[in-house]
Amino acid sequence: MKNDNYGQITSYDIKALKEKCMGDDLYQVQFHYTIEFIGRENCFYVDTNYGYWKLDNETNEWIEIN
């Protein structure tokens, strides 16, 4: 879990992203990621092998950033 003064990202959030990215391959390959908090946007970004994702604070949904 990653915390800061503005919010947090939990293991449940990461698990939801893993399931969204990997689908049926969930237990067959490793899931590597890097978490970054962008203060000016007050949100978390996660860089994975499956793309760059933003956790929307209002809906708690993952949005892929292209």
Side-chain angles (χ1 to χ4, degrees), residues 8 10 12 20 23 30 32 43 55 62:
Q8 68 178 5
T10 67
Y12 298 108
K20 185 176 192 110
Q30 293 182 350
H32 296 281
C43 64
L55 181 60
W62 288 103

Side-chain angles (χ1 to χ4, degrees), residues 45 51-54 63-66:
Y45 285 86
Y52 196 62
W53 299 82
K54 173 184 175 181
I63 301 167
E64 187 170 16
I65 306 297
N66 294 325

Side-chain angles (χ1 to χ4, degrees), residues 42 55-61:
N42 193 26
L55 181 60
D56 188 295
N57 289 336
E58 293 179 11
T59 64
N60 206 38
E61 293 290 324

Side-chain angles (χ1 to χ4, degrees), residues 21-65:
C21 288
M22 298 176 72
D24 293 339
D25 291 336
L26 196 57
Y27 300 104
Q28 297 179 14
V29 295
Q30 293 182 350
F31 184 67
H32 296 281
Y33 59 91
T34 304
I35 300 172
E36 180 180 10
F37 180 78
I38 307 296
R40 67 182 175 276
E41 295 182 25
N42 193 26
C43 64
F44 289 97
Y45 285 86
V46 177
D47 189 8
T48 73
N49 291 342
Y50 300 91
Y52 196 62
W53 299 82
K54 173 184 175 181
L55 181 60
D56 188 295
N57 289 336
E58 293 179 11
T59 64
N60 206 38
E61 293 290 324
W62 288 103
I63 301 167
E64 187 170 16
I65 306 297

